[in-house]
Amino acid sequence: MEQIVINGANRLKGSVEIEGAKNAALPILAATILTSEGKVNLDNIPPLSDVIIMGKVLEALNIKVEFDKFSKTMSIDATADLNSVAPQELVEKMRASIVVLGPLVARLGYARVAMPGGCAIGSRPIDLHLKGLKQLGIEINQQAGFIEATAKDLHGAEIYLDFPSVGATQNIMMAATLAEGNTVIENVAREPEIVDLANILNKMGAQVSGAGTDTIKIKGVKALHGCEHSVVQDRIEAGTYMVAAAVSKGDVLIEDAMYEHNRPLISKLIEMGVKIEVTDAGIHVVGPEVLQPTDVQTMPHPGFPTDMQAQMTVAQLMSNGTSAMNETVFENRFMHLEELKKMNAKFRIEGNSAILEGPTKFSGAQVSATDLRAAAALVIAGVIADGETRVSRLEYMDRGYYQLVSKFKKLGVDIKRVSIDESGRETLITDITDNSKLA
Ligand code: EPU
């Protein structure tokens, strides 16, 4: 078993570098399936376990993937004849691999992709992905854990999404690039990761406009080709360090962080009394002596991101009064609060809302991550808690945070990662996401 061990209480000080966004890199890797000519050369690819899994999905489709984890570059050659089946054992490991469905069926006319299950944060259906693909003329057959998609007549369509799903927007957008004629998708997701996907698709020769607004228009083309692209910065990783600085009365520069992408979080932090300064070098965050309470509601972008909800609840619990967190995107994303209870958090759940009672004097405890962002929230609580905190189930953290231990250590936190054998003996290990450790 591995654990992160933190000795509190720490005050963060210094500067931190942010990686390319996992949630931009994953659909971009899927988009390379569309390129029947030339290589795709990618930069700023975060060496995370989810990215490695997506690379393996591509390899299973007969795509050549060369990943240099030191330079964070990836070279992808999808020009050979591709396999049409995305294997179950890989799709099972990562729900996000469902975004290969659209590009694969658009390129080959046929695709068979394992059905992704639900996950800890919600049931996560894919009805909106399938509805949109059907409107493009793709026949969908669901059977025995697989989705079979056949495109005899891939054509443009007018599609309205009932909800601005990130994954559905990506899947439909990628399939439509090779459809005959024009596609208009309304009520689409507007996340910066959608804009990054549209940007690379256009470099590949697609004709996509409107990404970042609620309507995307696509003029179908015959084929796409290789290109060069650098992945957008991870606004959620940046936001995680902003909250850590804010709650620890810290003084941290989040290097090159993008104000526009983090506006919903920044406006809430300012309301809580955090000093935020946008400079040429990045976003400078200074945490106050006392945080003020504030109510937050998660929403699709440009609303407050659900991927910052768990971390933000730690700030709300630290604040001087009662705050509410209303989660509207996923149905089951408060599991981290049960773990924070072991560290002294006081709250009650009312439907989709958590009512959080501050100020909390967090005390160290043994806690377990329940999903990726829960892992980050527990580490942040450990940073400010009195005494020792031990966080386990680190496989969640490794999906989305590159070198988290080293980064917090550099900011002055007393933190380490250990492996514990059956006799209870501890061995110090480096971040599993250090270059040398990644498979
Ligand atoms: N939904 C449906 N039907 C669909 C698709 C979605 O009902 O066909 C529902 C979902 O069940 C959920 C809501 O719509 O309740 C939002 O889902 P969305 O499709 O927007 O999310 P996603 O594409 O599955 C991505 C990120 C998530 C992030 C969400 C929301 C990737 C790889 N994942 O998921 O990231 O929380 O958008 O912003 O981009 C994370 O990084 O920790 C993470 C979970």
Side-chain angles (χ1 to χ4, degrees):
M1 179 179 59
E2 290 186 10
Q3 288 182 334
I4 283 181
V5 185
I6 309 162
N7 268 298
N10 300 269
R11 208 170 187 152
L12 265 56
K13 198 164 174 34
S15 64
V16 61
E17 259 179 58
I18 303 302
E19 310 299 323
K22 163 186 82 90
N23 289 348
L26 295 175
I28 283 174
L29 294 190
T32 65
I33 294 170
L34 294 161
T35 56
S36 45
E37 273 171 43
K39 277 189 181 179
V40 181
N41 291 315
L42 300 169
D43 191 12
N44 210 23
I45 294 281
L48 298 166
S49 58
D50 272 9
V51 170
I52 307 275
I53 293 172
M54 189 58 105
K56 287 189 177 151
V57 173
L58 296 185
E59 282 172 347
L61 299 173
N62 200 29
I63 293 172
K64 274 197 209 127
V65 178
E66 283 169 33
F67 189 12
D68 181 340
K69 295 165 198 113
F70 287 93
S71 61
K72 299 173 191 167
T73 56
M74 203 183 256
S75 171
I76 298 177
D77 184 340
T79 55
D81 288 341
L82 301 190
N83 295 332
S84 55
V85 181
Q88 187 167 6
E89 63 273 18
L90 293 172
V91 177
E92 255 172 20
K93 280 191 187 156
M94 189 181 62
R95 284 196 88 269
S97 35
I98 188 64
V99 291
V100 304
L101 181 65
L104 198 55
V105 66
R107 163 102 183 251
L108 299 181
Y110 174 80
R112 194 171 141 92
V113 176
M115 183 79 189
C119 72
I121 60 176
S123 60
R124 304 183 81 174
I126 52 162
D127 54 315
L128 301 172
H129 301 231
L130 301 184
K131 201 167 131 189
L133 294 177
K134 279 183 195 162
Q135 285 179 267
L136 295 174
I138 297 169
E139 258 174 53
I140 302 282
N141 244 314
Q142 278 172 271
Q143 44 164 305
F146 268 94
I147 300 160
E148 246 182 351
T150 314
K152 291 202 183 93
D153 164 34
L154 188 63
H155 56 73
E158 287 191 11
I159 298 168
Y160 181 88
L161 293 181
D162 298 339
F163 178 86
S165 153
V166 172
T169 303
Q170 293 164 339
N171 238 334
I172 300 165
M173 188 167 132
M174 287 191 275
T177 58
L178 295 184
E180 172 90 37
N182 297 323
T183 297
V184 179
I185 324 170
E186 286 179 89
N187 198 29
V188 291
R190 292 190 269 165
E191 272 68 2
E193 295 75 25
I194 300 283
V195 176
D196 209 32
L197 178 61
N199 288 344
I200 189 170
L201 287 170
N202 285 335
K203 288 182 187 172
M204 290 170 173
Q207 294 196 24
V208 180
S209 60
T213 74
D214 61 8
T215 304
I216 290 180
K217 293 185 179 162
I218 301 152
K219 192 164 179 247
V221 295
K222 289 260 174 290
L224 296 187
H225 52 73
C227 67
E228 303 202 341
H229 186 74
S230 183
V231 174
V232 70
Q233 204 195 45
D234 194 327
R235 67 196 161 100
I236 305 299
E237 190 195 14
T240 299
Y241 288 100
M242 281 185 212
V243 171
V247 297
S248 68
K249 300 173 193 162
D251 183 339
V252 176
L253 175 73
I254 323 289
E255 289 175 33
D256 300 321
M258 293 161 89
Y259 170 73
E260 277 304 317
H261 294 178
N262 280 295
R263 258 170 94 171
L265 170 67
I266 289 173
S267 94
K268 279 290 157 191
L269 290 177
I270 291 172
E271 220 177 285
M272 297 178 93
V274 180
K275 237 180 88 190
I276 306 263
E277 197 191 351
V278 182
T279 71
D280 286 348
I283 297 178
H284 182 195
V285 182
V286 180
E289 285 302 312
V290 179
L291 283 164
Q292 297 308 318
T294 185
D295 295 341
V296 178
Q297 169 157 298
T298 65
M299 301 273 275
H301 193 78
F304 190 94
T306 175
D307 290 343
M308 282 305 302
Q309 183 257 101
Q311 304 88 311
M312 188 63 170
T313 56
V314 177
Q316 291 174 301
L317 284 163
M318 276 297 283
S319 72
N320 194 21
T322 304
S323 302
M325 174 59 84
N326 183 220
E327 171 61 63
T328 75
V329 180
F330 288 106
E331 66 263 34
N332 191 23
R333 220 176 186 182
F334 284 140
M335 286 164 302
H336 62 284
L337 290 176
E338 284 304 320
E339 296 301 304
L340 288 175
K341 202 187 251 178
K342 299 175 188 162
M343 301 179 72
N344 225 10
K346 306 238 175 342
F347 65 91
R348 60 180 198 281
I349 307 285
E350 289 178 3
N352 289 340
S353 297
I355 314 300
L356 306 150
E357 304 292 345
T360 306
K361 189 126 188 62
F362 282 108
S363 55
Q366 293 231 15
V367 287
S368 189
T370 47
D371 74 78
L372 163 59
R373 308 303 168 188
L378 296 175
V379 169
I380 294 173
V383 165
I384 50 179
D386 282 334
E388 184 186 87
T389 296
R390 287 178 172 259
V391 184
S392 54
R393 299 295 308 268
L394 302 183
E395 66 275 17
Y396 286 118
M397 203 189 69
D398 294 334
R399 301 183 71 153
Y401 289 95
Y402 181 63
Q403 295 187 342
L404 175 136
V405 168
S406 320
K407 289 185 185 185
F408 271 107
K409 208 186 267 175
K410 188 174 161 245
L411 292 170
V413 176
D414 182 349
I415 184 170
K416 61 184 177 184
R417 183 166 175 147
V418 296
S419 168
I420 304 169
D421 68 16
E422 276 155 20
S423 64
R425 202 176 44 222
E426 283 186 7
T427 326
L428 190 66
I429 52 172
T430 51
D431 273 307
I432 198 77
T433 53
D434 274 346
N435 294 316
S436 54
K437 293 266 180 174
L438 274 170

